[in-house]
Amino acid sequence: MLRRGKAALCLTVFLLCCGCGRGGAEVTVPQVEVVEEPQVSQTEEQKRAELGLDTEAGTVLGEEEVVMMTEEGEPQTAMYTRVRGNGDFSLAYDTSEFSLTASENELRFEALSDGEADAASAFLSLRKEDEPSAEELADQYVAESGEECAVEEVTVGEGEYPAIWVSYAEGTSGDSRTCDLYVFRYNEELYVAQLDCTVADYENLGRAEHMILSTLRFDEG
């Protein structure tokens, strides 16, 4: 059966990166707080899929009802769908806000606009990479961005997995792109989570993307 999530999902990264790496853009890193332990439900088929080592990426593993605090300090209930990752992990997301495409090497959550995926608006990609180390890959992202980047050692996900965070914005206007990259290794696999949206959307869609990442859970046996 799905293990219940922690009462407060790990969001250490938010405390470390406020006000950094946005190329002068006035962007406040969105805060996410889960105030109650998620209520998990599964079918028998989903229970078997969770335990199956050959379960395909994107397979639904169950539903989780979570209660979060809004920016106004009010509790808000949301239903999240937990899916198998492209590795020994799972993620949960709100199907009313994001669509999902899954492959052997990538999970991609795209923001929905009027019920349809709008990749130009915002997306979260969690993919495998083939590089010697997380440090070298992070350096590569910094070099390729062509922007002033913030780089921090942080933790992500429910298990507080160590990661290198690289963040930058391509400009200061509302339609400029902003990108957060989290590079981490688990069980010899190297992963990158890329959270992408516009500066104007960062407080809302960026917050939703970080919420997905905060549900990251590896199967620790």
Side-chain angles (χ1 to χ4, degrees):
M1 185 171 183
L2 275 177
R3 291 168 292 180
R4 292 178 180 271
K6 295 182 179 179
L9 298 179
C10 176
L11 296 167
T12 306
V13 62
F14 297 144
L15 304 179
L16 293 173
C17 64
C18 291
C20 298
R22 299 289 166 189
E26 293 296 328
V27 176
T28 301
V29 175
Q31 301 288 321
V32 178
E33 181 182 358
V34 177
V35 295
E36 290 187 10
E37 186 174 320
Q39 300 299 307
V40 179
S41 63
Q42 284 182 305
T43 65
E44 289 300 322
E45 183 180 4
Q46 289 167 349
K47 292 177 184 178
R48 291 193 296 271
E50 182 191 19
L51 297 174
L53 297 178
D54 58 348
T55 301
E56 293 184 0
T59 299
V60 174
L61 301 179
E63 307 295 324
E64 301 181 6
E65 185 180 62
V66 298
V67 180
M68 300 173 292
M69 295 299 294
T70 66
E71 294 180 6
E72 293 75 25
E74 297 294 329
Q76 178 181 358
T77 301
M79 185 64 71
Y80 279 74
T81 298
R82 184 163 290 277
V83 295
R84 185 77 170 197
N86 52 334
D88 197 15
F89 68 88
S90 63
L91 286 166
Y93 73 109
D94 187 343
T95 58
S96 69
E97 292 187 327
F98 290 86
S99 66
L100 169 65
T101 56
S103 68
E104 183 179 352
N105 291 314
E106 181 185 28
L107 287 186
R108 187 179 179 92
F109 302 87
E110 295 185 350
L112 294 174
S113 177
D114 298 325
E116 296 183 356
D118 183 6
S121 176
F123 68 87
L124 183 155
S125 169
L126 202 161
R127 56 188 181 269
K128 294 181 180 179
E129 293 285 0
D130 184 19
E131 294 292 336
S133 69
E135 291 78 10
E136 289 184 53
L137 184 55
D139 289 343
Q140 179 180 320
Y141 282 127
V142 170
E144 291 178 351
S145 73
E147 304 291 342
E148 180 180 352
C149 296
V151 181
E152 297 279 354
E153 292 184 359
V154 299
T155 60
V156 296
E158 292 186 11
E160 302 184 23
Y161 310 109
I164 299 175
W165 168 72
V166 177
S167 180
Y168 64 89
E170 296 177 352
T172 59
S173 63
D175 60 354
S176 297
R177 306 301 300 179
T178 181
C179 181
D180 291 299
L181 295 154
Y182 300 92
V183 185
F184 59 97
R185 188 178 292 277
Y186 192 88
N187 284 348
E188 305 306 318
E189 292 282 0
L190 185 62
Y191 297 93
V192 174
Q194 178 176 348
L195 289 68
D196 197 283
C197 65
T198 65
V199 170
D201 288 336
Y202 194 68
E203 287 298 319
N204 295 318
L205 288 175
R207 179 178 183 272
E209 292 170 353
H210 279 90
M211 184 63 208
I212 295 173
L213 183 60
S214 74
T215 69
L216 175 67
R217 179 192 302 157
F218 279 91
D219 183 0
E220 299 177 358

